[in-house]
Amino acid sequence: MYQIRTDLALETQQKMQEDNIELKGVRFFEEKIDKNLTISRVVIETENGAKTMGKPKGTYITIEASNMDEEDEDYHREISVQLARIIKELVRTKKEEISVLIVGLGNREVTPDALGPRVVDNLFITRHVMKEYGRYAFGEDVVNQISSIVPGVMAQTGMESLEIIKGIVRETKPELVVVVDALAARSTKRLNRTIQVTDTGINPGSGVGNHRHGINEKSLGIPVISIGIPTVVDAATIVNDTMYNLVTAMMQSEAFSTLGRSLKDLNDAEKYELIQELLAPGLNTMFVTPKDIDESVKRLSFTISEGLNLAFLGGKTGNKKQKHA
Amino acid sequence: MYQIRTDLALETQQKMQEDNIELKGVRFFEEKIDKNLTISRVVIETENGAKTMGKPKGTYITIEASNMDEEDEDYHREISVQLARIIKELVRTKKEEISVLIVGLGNREVTPDALGPRVVDNLFITRHVMKEYGRYAFGEDVVNQISSIVPGVMAQTGMESLEIIKGIVRETKPELVVVVDALAARSTKRLNRTIQVTDTGINPGSGVGNHRHGINEKSLGIPVISIGIPTVVDAATIVNDTMYNLVTAMMQSEAFSTLGRSLKDLNDAEKYELIQELLAPGLNTMFVTPKDIDESVKRLSFTISEGLNLAFLGGKTGNKKQKHA
Amino acid sequence: MYQIRTDLALETQQKMQEDNIELKGVRFFEEKIDKNLTISRVVIETENGAKTMGKPKGTYITIEASNMDEEDEDYHREISVQLARIIKELVRTKKEEISVLIVGLGNREVTPDALGPRVVDNLFITRHVMKEYGRYAFGEDVVNQISSIVPGVMAQTGMESLEIIKGIVRETKPELVVVVDALAARSTKRLNRTIQVTDTGINPGSGVGNHRHGINEKSLGIPVISIGIPTVVDAATIVNDTMYNLVTAMMQSEAFSTLGRSLKDLNDAEKYELIQELLAPGLNTMFVTPKDIDESVKRLSFTISEGLNLAFLGGKTGNKKQKHA
Amino acid sequence: MYQIRTDLALETQQKMQEDNIELKGVRFFEEKIDKNLTISRVVIETENGAKTMGKPKGTYITIEASNMDEEDEDYHREISVQLARIIKELVRTKKEEISVLIVGLGNREVTPDALGPRVVDNLFITRHVMKEYGRYAFGEDVVNQISSIVPGVMAQTGMESLEIIKGIVRETKPELVVVVDALAARSTKRLNRTIQVTDTGINPGSGVGNHRHGINEKSLGIPVISIGIPTVVDAATIVNDTMYNLVTAMMQSEAFSTLGRSLKDLNDAEKYELIQELLAPGLNTMFVTPKDIDESVKRLSFTISEGLNLAFLGGKTGNKKQKHA
């Protein structure tokens, strides 16, 4: 079957529903926070569900906010607050204080792939101060140890992100890894308006940069939470959507109904063959991205980093004096 | 008629030919430099030709190089050399020494629109040294006065690029303006592989950033040469190409022939209506761009600036000591 | 006399006082806003005063805030509010609505000189929207027309900043120009902790980049307000300060008293000669700057641009949606 | 004793000589390549020599080129060639093919500390291609495996650079580490004109960013070569130099001879006390750096990365196509 690529479990779930495919072992919840803000949960509970969805077992929480992509004086703090709540929900430890390594995946030099590195730029880092002065440096009883790394991409480092993270985890022994990455969506409507948080980490083939190895609890030996925002749609997906819209439009339009129905009758193999013929050569190295992507990534990285600062350090993030000391 | 948007005269000319539209008042030449490098000229000679082409009268010279987008130790000096030759061909003055203002149009913060500003970053600037020390500072008898400006885009400045350039031209009195801008093409195959040089300046609606006023001899009162490289395709264009490919594929494939022919029978109004329905909402604020666009723009800006340095200053560009003094 | 270079009228005034030089035609006020924030005014009222001070007649207002250089969640909005108040004080028009061109002087590529360009990056620009849709686009009765430009430095453009600004002023006819520039101070203690606002514009020899021509009411024909923050101290100044400290220390320390007094006996010519001998060759192309200058310039540019947004557009700056449309 | 801080063994050696301190266990060679280019070697052979020099045993090779800081069309390839020769001299393996991890130390956001990260940006990376396709992908019999990392600074990551590198070394098992770092010099004359290459790695307290732990063969278990260029002088050092120059000037000038001699009579404790009094408060967080440091670091990073590319990959670096694939 010709597979539409998306890193969002929510889009996969919706596509299944549209196509009337029964989803066993997958539960779905939706919570309307206000008129702009919806939080939905896709929980893949069984191996069967995972197979149908093409994604590993686990919880996928999606924050959708129609105004997320608009400028806002405090960088959409209301979204950061929800993000913090969700992150805390996915951290399943009973320890009062934990040590967290936050990883910014992606290529700082390619704008739509720069989300991860930019989030890390704005984090409040505590591990080195804790190590040297103890939690008393922060005037608090409980302070989580936050460290971070931007591993770069394989073409820059010659190493898999997994190798770098694994080495650092082994050496610095955090109890939790959080990875932040730019994602690919299926619909341009979701670009820069959706945050996905999961407890399944990063899986092969996902992300704008197409990671080749999973970065997850299995590969690292500790829990891995991943946070992502879709910033691109593969150009090939646009072609597919057009195809789909063409068929739908034709079926609904009286003038083209015979035609449309004939198209609809094509089986999947025929559709796939047709699409292959339609694809302009070289289109698979192209992506579709909004004209203001540079601004969006800059702004959204603040929203996410503030969510992380809130989740792990509560209200302490106003005082970033230590950061560049 | 549904118009495919392209800033390349060569693409318009080719489309006309494909569609068997007769082009009166337009001449076309092609020169094969070597297996990688082709230079073609579209000369629009009459107002009628201009109307059919949707572009003003003048000469449009296109350098196509299949390897232009590849890394190269000396930033494709062979292309810079051809570019310099073409620029000199379009400068129609008999004066030995001229004063040139080079303008980098576009938005430095939006990668595919940053070509103009980046070209200007690498120019060899002489006007201020000439003004203060005379041409003897360069140990040469003849030195052109080169100045440059990056006006920014209207959303940043609140002013039309034309207003800024006009003011500077009036104040500093150059004899020639060269504008460099990122363009939109129709075909993804041309992205980052084509340079267009014209003596018609910049015209309304062209460029990645869609200039609203012409920057040309008529508006500035002095000759204007423009140099551009296509870095994006409008997302809507991809949909159109798909549509076109669909019809073609269907007509050629036996299985879909009836279907295809029916589509072919649609008149232009019907086609246009269909395409409007197909267009995903919001797609018109999206563009398609190669995944490595950041690297490409960086590299191509060197190729163009070296072409300009060669055209106006000959071999003097190795010594850039003055630049950041 | 060996002149200590500073762009701050406050420092010149203090130096005069230290040296017991009588300042006729110069008035001085100090206002303590709170324990961190002091605003002082140096008003040069006569040509004689201007000559003694080495600065043109006019009002020089200085905001000093000991914590200005520290990170702060809302980028020191309390300072922006004071800055807005001072700017409004210096705008001496009775018109309800004015048109303002804000100029970011300096070199974006040299960190301590990048203040001006970075301030402009964060301004709320209205002129183009006003021109096209009128003030109703903002849902307000009175909206000032804000435009902005980053002219670049002479080594990049081959033109004086004055030429570029003059051309744009002639073409777009603003009623007020505001220039923002990075300054040189005499004392490292003032770096990134002081904002100077004047109604005298920019004068030859001032700024990190050493402007060669005045940008002021005389050269532009309309009022010019300038805003600056000292980001560097000339390396030669440090040597001078050392010399001064040496003499002082010696005089106060019993062990070195004879020595110190002898030094003190040197006349100015002797001191100057001594200092020339002490200056390491090449030191005049060096500057002294804090280790965290990159972060500081980034943060302070927000504080200033917010002050400008508040002064000219009141509370409208939260909604920056138009900016990158 | 009041110690002048420098990361250059050559400067320490010269200071010792000036002060007539006998250097046992330290050998010194100088090789004049041409009128612009001198290569000198300081070899610390004994623990005693190391103690006197305040630097670990090993070989310190310095390339001095008076024109290194000037623009040059091929980024001073003649220096890259010498650098490559020196690196190969310090790699003491008999293996035909080795695996090398190149580390760019420092803070990308602070210009004079960005040398290491910028060098890594321009390296030719082979490890990932070798792992997947073997050396045949390069059409060569022998290809070294090059990988690289920019670990960031502790304030950004919360981790010691050593921890990050150690983890990666353990996981990816290179046979050699090369670290590149910006250094502090004693003399402004050496800034951006000197490259130091050593086989002793990085030692505590060195570098613009003041590393706290050694990154060397002892801590990593494999040989470590370090490459550095001085980009700053500590502001306190300038004060010291002034002091020294003052004394010298006074002794040589007839007018001040009595004075000078008295100063000379001060013992080290007295000198130290005097200097402490002279130091302006806060000066220890300042550095002195050339006005064109941004340009210099950009250019010098090319010279070093090309030296590394030549040393490890011979002539293959023209083809960087893989880099950003």
Side-chain angles (χ1 to χ4, degrees):
Chain A
M1 192 188 131
Y2 186 80
Q3 272 250 324
I4 293 297
R5 185 190 162 200
T6 175
D7 294 329
L8 297 177
L10 181 64
E11 283 190 340
T12 309
Q13 190 266 348
Q14 286 177 345
K15 184 78 173 64
M16 299 285 169
Q17 220 159 23
E18 277 170 23
D19 296 355
N20 292 314
I21 295 171
E22 201 190 358
L23 271 172
K24 280 196 179 164
V26 179
R27 284 189 303 145
F28 178 71
F29 312 86
E30 205 178 83
E31 182 186 356
K32 196 102 193 161
I33 305 293
D34 63 38
K35 73 174 168 40
N36 283 318
L37 203 65
T38 304
I39 294 179
S40 44
R41 281 166 174 75
V42 173
V43 186
I44 305 181
E45 294 178 317
T46 63
E47 281 308 332
N48 244 331
K51 213 173 140 191
T52 319
M53 290 283 288
K55 301 203 178 299
K57 274 201 306 186
T59 301
Y60 299 79
I61 306 179
T62 310
I63 305 175
E64 289 173 279
S66 51
N67 66 343
M68 196 187 289
D69 195 26
E70 290 167 16
E71 270 202 52
D72 181 78
E73 205 162 47
D74 61 357
Y75 297 101
H76 293 290
R77 197 177 171 84
E78 77 283 6
I79 299 176
S80 303
V81 167
Q82 293 298 332
L83 176 58
R85 187 170 65 94
I86 291 168
I87 293 168
K88 281 194 273 191
E89 176 188 329
L90 292 180
V91 180
R92 292 189 191 93
T93 178
K94 278 177 190 132
K95 292 186 61 175
E96 264 211 322
E97 229 178 76
I98 58 167
S99 169
V100 185
L101 172 65
I102 302 177
V103 180
L105 293 176
N107 187 347
R108 194 186 281 282
E109 301 298 314
V110 175
T111 311
D113 199 20
L115 182 79
R118 277 176 172 282
V119 165
V120 163
D121 286 348
N122 296 298
L123 290 174
F124 187 66
I125 301 299
T126 59
R127 183 177 177 269
H128 57 307
V129 180
M130 292 281 286
K131 287 255 164 200
E132 188 147 357
Y133 305 104
R135 69 176 63 85
Y136 310 106
F138 299 94
E140 308 266 340
D141 285 347
V142 176
V143 185
N144 293 316
Q145 286 193 25
I146 310 300
S147 57
S148 75
I149 190 80
V150 174
V153 297
M154 199 163 63
Q156 292 164 345
T157 64
M159 301 180 280
E160 294 274 348
S161 296
L162 178 61
E163 290 177 297
I164 297 171
I165 299 166
K166 222 170 169 175
I168 294 173
V169 164
R170 209 184 280 188
E171 192 67 32
T172 65
K173 302 195 174 34
E175 291 144 306
L176 171 69
V177 164
V178 177
V179 287
V180 184
D181 198 14
L183 305 178
R186 180 173 165 264
S187 160
T188 54
K189 281 174 297 180
R190 292 201 189 284
L191 297 184
N192 304 326
R193 292 206 187 87
T194 307
I195 303 175
Q196 175 174 274
V197 192
T198 85
D199 58 3
T200 59
I202 294 289
N203 293 290
S206 71
V208 171
N210 281 321
H211 305 286
R212 303 200 317 180
H213 287 82
I215 301 166
N216 46 40
E217 184 156 5
K218 204 181 150 198
S219 60
L220 291 182
I222 52 173
V224 179
I225 290 174
S226 75
I227 301 175
I229 289 182
T231 60
V232 305
V233 172
D234 277 359
T237 299
I238 296 289
V239 173
N240 261 288
D241 281 0
T242 306
M243 177 72 188
Y244 182 86
N245 290 344
L246 178 65
V247 170
T248 309
M250 283 178 163
M251 290 201 59
Q252 284 160 358
S253 154
E254 235 179 84
F256 311 135
S257 63
T258 334
L259 215 65
R261 241 173 275 123
S262 318
L263 272 173
K264 186 81 182 179
D265 289 344
L266 300 180
N267 64 30
D268 279 347
E270 286 165 333
K271 267 189 207 157
Y272 185 75
E273 185 193 344
L274 183 60
I275 286 166
Q276 285 313 303
E277 287 179 62
L278 297 177
L279 277 172
L283 202 61
N284 56 335
T285 64
M286 304 278 159
F287 54 55
V288 176
T289 197
K291 293 195 174 165
D292 59 352
I293 183 68
D294 302 65
E295 270 306 303
S296 296
V297 165
K298 210 184 290 181
R299 254 181 300 110
L300 292 171
S301 68
F302 274 104
T303 306
I304 294 189
S305 59
E306 198 55 17
L308 285 161
N309 288 336
L310 281 171
F312 293 119
L313 297 165
K316 261 180 303 298
T317 57
N319 172 4
K320 296 188 190 165
K321 267 170 276 184
Q322 288 88 336
K323 176 116 196 224
H324 295 268
Chain B
M1 193 190 130
Y2 187 81
Q3 271 249 327
I4 293 297
R5 183 185 166 207
T6 174
D7 295 329
L8 297 177
L10 181 65
E11 283 189 340
T12 309
Q13 189 266 348
Q14 287 176 347
K15 184 76 173 63
M16 299 285 168
Q17 221 161 23
E18 275 171 24
D19 296 355
N20 291 315
I21 296 171
E22 202 189 355
L23 272 172
K24 279 196 178 163
V26 179
R27 284 191 302 145
F28 178 73
F29 312 85
E30 204 178 85
E31 183 187 353
K32 197 99 194 161
I33 305 294
D34 64 37
K35 73 173 169 37
N36 282 320
L37 202 65
T38 304
I39 293 179
S40 44
R41 280 165 175 76
V42 173
V43 185
I44 306 181
E45 294 178 317
T46 64
E47 281 307 333
N48 243 333
K51 212 172 137 190
T52 321
M53 290 283 288
K55 303 204 177 297
K57 274 200 307 184
T59 301
Y60 299 79
I61 306 179
T62 309
I63 305 174
E64 290 173 280
S66 51
N67 65 343
M68 196 186 290
D69 196 28
E70 289 167 17
E71 269 201 55
D72 182 78
E73 203 162 50
D74 60 359
Y75 296 101
H76 292 290
R77 197 176 170 84
E78 77 284 4
I79 299 175
S80 303
V81 167
Q82 294 298 331
L83 177 58
R85 187 169 67 93
I86 291 168
I87 293 168
K88 282 194 273 191
E89 176 188 330
L90 292 180
V91 180
R92 291 189 191 93
T93 179
K94 277 174 188 136
K95 293 188 58 174
E96 263 212 324
E97 228 178 77
I98 58 168
S99 169
V100 186
L101 172 65
I102 303 179
V103 180
L105 293 176
N107 187 347
R108 194 187 280 283
E109 300 299 313
V110 174
T111 312
D113 199 20
L115 182 77
R118 278 176 171 281
V119 165
V120 163
D121 287 349
N122 295 299
L123 290 174
F124 187 66
I125 302 300
T126 59
R127 181 179 178 270
H128 58 305
V129 181
M130 291 281 286
K131 286 258 163 197
E132 187 147 357
Y133 305 104
R135 68 178 63 85
Y136 310 106
F138 300 95
E140 307 267 339
D141 286 347
V142 178
V143 186
N144 293 316
Q145 285 193 25
I146 309 300
S147 57
S148 74
I149 189 79
V150 174
V153 297
M154 199 164 62
Q156 291 164 346
T157 65
M159 302 179 280
E160 293 274 348
S161 296
L162 177 61
E163 291 178 296
I164 297 171
I165 299 165
K166 223 169 168 175
I168 294 173
V169 164
R170 209 183 279 188
E171 192 67 33
T172 65
K173 301 193 173 36
E175 292 146 306
L176 171 69
V177 164
V178 177
V179 287
V180 184
D181 199 13
L183 306 177
R186 181 173 164 265
S187 158
T188 54
K189 279 175 298 180
R190 292 203 188 281
L191 297 184
N192 305 327
R193 294 209 185 83
T194 307
I195 303 176
Q196 176 175 273
V197 193
T198 86
D199 56 5
T200 60
I202 294 289
N203 293 290
S206 71
V208 170
N210 281 321
H211 305 286
R212 303 201 315 180
H213 288 82
I215 301 166
N216 46 40
E217 183 155 6
K218 203 181 149 199
S219 61
L220 291 183
I222 51 173
V224 179
I225 291 174
S226 75
I227 302 175
I229 290 181
T231 60
V232 306
V233 172
D234 277 359
T237 299
I238 296 288
V239 172
N240 260 288
D241 282 1
T242 307
M243 176 73 188
Y244 181 87
N245 290 343
L246 177 66
V247 170
T248 311
M250 281 178 165
M251 290 201 58
Q252 285 161 357
S253 155
E254 233 179 86
F256 310 135
S257 62
T258 333
L259 214 65
R261 242 173 272 126
S262 320
L263 272 174
K264 187 83 181 177
D265 290 342
L266 301 180
N267 64 30
D268 279 348
E270 287 166 331
K271 263 189 207 158
Y272 185 76
E273 185 193 345
L274 183 59
I275 284 167
Q276 286 312 304
E277 288 180 62
L278 296 178
L279 277 173
L283 203 61
N284 57 335
T285 64
M286 303 277 159
F287 53 56
V288 176
T289 198
K291 294 196 174 165
D292 59 351
I293 184 68
D294 302 64
E295 269 306 302
S296 297
V297 166
K298 208 183 292 180
R299 254 180 300 109
L300 292 171
S301 67
F302 274 105
T303 305
I304 293 188
S305 60
E306 197 55 18
L308 285 161
N309 288 337
L310 280 171
F312 293 118
L313 297 165
K316 261 180 302 297
T317 57
N319 171 5
K320 294 188 190 166
K321 266 171 276 184
Q322 286 89 337
K323 176 115 196 223
H324 295 268
Chain C
M1 194 191 128
Y2 187 81
Q3 272 248 327
I4 293 297
R5 181 185 165 205
T6 174
D7 294 329
L8 297 176
L10 182 64
E11 283 190 339
T12 309
Q13 189 267 347
Q14 286 177 346
K15 184 79 172 61
M16 299 285 169
Q17 220 161 24
E18 275 171 25
D19 296 355
N20 292 314
I21 296 172
E22 202 190 354
L23 271 171
K24 280 194 178 164
V26 178
R27 284 191 301 145
F28 178 72
F29 311 85
E30 204 178 84
E31 184 187 351
K32 196 101 194 161
I33 305 294
D34 64 37
K35 72 174 170 38
N36 284 319
L37 202 66
T38 304
I39 293 179
S40 44
R41 283 167 173 73
V42 174
V43 185
I44 305 181
E45 294 178 317
T46 64
E47 281 307 333
N48 244 332
K51 213 173 139 190
T52 320
M53 290 283 289
K55 304 204 177 299
K57 274 202 306 186
T59 302
Y60 300 80
I61 306 179
T62 309
I63 305 174
E64 289 173 278
S66 52
N67 65 344
M68 196 187 289
D69 195 28
E70 290 167 16
E71 270 202 53
D72 181 78
E73 204 163 50
D74 61 0
Y75 295 102
H76 292 291
R77 196 175 171 85
E78 78 284 4
I79 299 175
S80 303
V81 167
Q82 295 297 332
L83 177 57
R85 187 168 66 92
I86 292 169
I87 293 168
K88 282 193 273 191
E89 176 188 330
L90 292 180
V91 180
R92 292 190 190 92
T93 179
K94 279 176 189 132
K95 293 188 58 175
E96 263 211 323
E97 231 178 75
I98 58 167
S99 169
V100 186
L101 172 65
I102 303 178
V103 181
L105 293 176
N107 187 346
R108 195 187 280 283
E109 301 298 315
V110 174
T111 312
D113 199 20
L115 183 77
R118 276 176 171 280
V119 165
V120 163
D121 287 348
N122 295 298
L123 290 174
F124 187 66
I125 301 300
T126 59
R127 182 178 177 270
H128 58 306
V129 180
M130 292 280 287
K131 286 255 165 201
E132 187 147 357
Y133 306 104
R135 68 178 63 84
Y136 309 107
F138 298 96
E140 307 266 338
D141 286 346
V142 177
V143 186
N144 293 315
Q145 286 192 25
I146 309 300
S147 58
S148 75
I149 190 79
V150 174
V153 297
M154 199 164 63
Q156 291 163 346
T157 64
M159 301 180 281
E160 293 274 347
S161 296
L162 177 61
E163 291 178 295
I164 296 171
I165 299 167
K166 224 169 167 175
I168 293 173
V169 164
R170 208 183 280 189
E171 192 67 32
T172 65
K173 302 193 173 35
E175 292 145 306
L176 172 69
V177 164
V178 177
V179 288
V180 184
D181 198 13
L183 306 176
R186 181 173 165 265
S187 158
T188 54
K189 280 174 297 180
R190 292 204 189 280
L191 296 184
N192 304 327
R193 294 207 186 85
T194 307
I195 304 176
Q196 176 175 273
V197 192
T198 87
D199 57 4
T200 59
I202 293 290
N203 293 289
S206 72
V208 171
N210 282 319
H211 306 285
R212 304 199 318 179
H213 288 82
I215 300 167
N216 46 41
E217 182 155 8
K218 205 181 147 197
S219 60
L220 291 182
I222 52 173
V224 179
I225 291 174
S226 75
I227 302 174
I229 289 182
T231 60
V232 306
V233 172
D234 278 359
T237 300
I238 295 288
V239 173
N240 260 288
D241 282 0
T242 307
M243 176 73 188
Y244 182 86
N245 290 345
L246 176 65
V247 170
T248 311
M250 282 178 165
M251 289 200 61
Q252 285 161 355
S253 155
E254 232 179 87
F256 311 135
S257 62
T258 335
L259 215 66
R261 241 173 272 127
S262 320
L263 271 173
K264 186 84 182 178
D265 291 342
L266 300 180
N267 64 30
D268 279 349
E270 288 166 332
K271 266 189 207 155
Y272 185 76
E273 185 193 345
L274 183 60
I275 285 166
Q276 287 311 304
E277 288 180 61
L278 296 178
L279 278 172
L283 203 59
N284 56 336
T285 64
M286 303 278 158
F287 54 55
V288 176
T289 198
K291 294 196 173 164
D292 60 352
I293 183 68
D294 302 65
E295 269 305 302
S296 297
V297 166
K298 210 184 292 180
R299 256 182 297 111
L300 292 171
S301 67
F302 274 104
T303 305
I304 294 189
S305 59
E306 198 55 18
L308 284 161
N309 288 337
L310 280 171
F312 294 119
L313 297 165
K316 263 181 299 301
T317 56
N319 172 5
K320 295 188 189 164
K321 267 171 275 183
Q322 287 88 336
K323 175 116 198 223
H324 295 269
Chain D
M1 195 188 127
Y2 186 82
Q3 271 249 326
I4 295 296
R5 184 189 163 201
T6 175
D7 294 330
L8 297 177
L10 181 63
E11 283 189 340
T12 308
Q13 190 266 347
Q14 287 176 346
K15 184 78 172 62
M16 298 284 168
Q17 219 159 24
E18 276 170 23
D19 296 355
N20 292 313
I21 295 172
E22 202 191 356
L23 273 172
K24 278 195 179 164
V26 179
R27 285 189 302 145
F28 178 73
F29 312 85
E30 204 178 84
E31 182 187 354
K32 197 100 193 161
I33 305 294
D34 62 39
K35 73 174 167 40
N36 284 319
L37 202 66
T38 304
I39 293 178
S40 45
R41 281 167 174 75
V42 173
V43 185
I44 305 182
E45 295 179 316
T46 64
E47 281 307 332
N48 245 331
K51 212 172 140 190
T52 320
M53 290 282 289
K55 304 201 176 298
K57 274 201 307 186
T59 302
Y60 300 80
I61 306 178
T62 310
I63 305 174
E64 288 173 280
S66 51
N67 65 343
M68 196 187 288
D69 196 26
E70 291 168 16
E71 270 202 53
D72 183 77
E73 204 163 49
D74 61 358
Y75 297 100
H76 292 291
R77 198 177 170 84
E78 77 283 5
I79 299 175
S80 303
V81 167
Q82 294 298 331
L83 176 58
R85 187 170 66 93
I86 291 168
I87 293 168
K88 282 194 271 190
E89 177 188 329
L90 292 181
V91 181
R92 291 189 191 93
T93 177
K94 278 177 190 133
K95 292 187 60 175
E96 265 212 322
E97 230 177 76
I98 59 167
S99 169
V100 185
L101 172 65
I102 302 178
V103 180
L105 292 176
N107 187 347
R108 193 187 281 281
E109 301 298 314
V110 174
T111 312
D113 199 20
L115 182 78
R118 277 176 170 281
V119 164
V120 162
D121 287 348
N122 295 298
L123 289 174
F124 188 66
I125 302 300
T126 59
R127 182 178 177 269
H128 58 306
V129 180
M130 292 280 286
K131 286 257 164 199
E132 187 147 357
Y133 306 103
R135 69 179 59 86
Y136 309 107
F138 300 94
E140 307 267 339
D141 286 346
V142 177
V143 185
N144 293 316
Q145 286 193 25
I146 309 299
S147 57
S148 75
I149 190 80
V150 174
V153 297
M154 200 164 63
Q156 292 165 345
T157 64
M159 302 179 280
E160 294 274 347
S161 296
L162 177 61
E163 290 177 297
I164 296 171
I165 299 166
K166 223 169 166 176
I168 294 173
V169 164
R170 209 184 280 188
E171 191 68 32
T172 65
K173 302 193 174 35
E175 291 145 306
L176 171 69
V177 165
V178 177
V179 288
V180 184
D181 198 14
L183 305 178
R186 181 173 165 265
S187 160
T188 55
K189 280 174 299 181
R190 291 202 189 282
L191 296 184
N192 304 326
R193 293 208 186 84
T194 307
I195 303 175
Q196 175 175 275
V197 192
T198 86
D199 57 4
T200 59
I202 295 289
N203 292 290
S206 71
V208 170
N210 282 321
H211 305 285
R212 303 200 316 181
H213 287 83
I215 301 167
N216 46 40
E217 182 155 5
K218 203 181 149 198
S219 60
L220 291 183
I222 52 173
V224 179
I225 290 173
S226 75
I227 302 174
I229 289 181
T231 60
V232 306
V233 171
D234 277 358
T237 300
I238 296 288
V239 173
N240 261 288
D241 282 0
T242 308
M243 176 73 189
Y244 181 86
N245 290 344
L246 177 67
V247 171
T248 311
M250 283 177 164
M251 291 202 59
Q252 285 160 358
S253 154
E254 234 179 85
F256 310 136
S257 62
T258 334
L259 215 66
R261 241 173 272 123
S262 317
L263 273 173
K264 186 83 183 180
D265 290 343
L266 300 180
N267 64 29
D268 280 346
E270 287 165 333
K271 267 189 207 157
Y272 185 75
E273 184 193 345
L274 182 60
I275 285 167
Q276 286 312 303
E277 287 179 62
L278 296 177
L279 276 172
L283 203 60
N284 57 336
T285 65
M286 304 279 159
F287 54 56
V288 176
T289 196
K291 294 196 174 164
D292 60 351
I293 183 70
D294 301 64
E295 269 306 304
S296 297
V297 166
K298 208 184 293 182
R299 255 181 299 111
L300 292 171
S301 67
F302 274 105
T303 305
I304 294 189
S305 59
E306 198 55 19
L308 284 162
N309 288 336
L310 280 170
F312 293 120
L313 296 165
K316 261 180 301 299
T317 57
N319 172 4
K320 294 187 192 168
K321 266 171 277 185
Q322 287 89 337
K323 176 114 196 226
H324 294 270

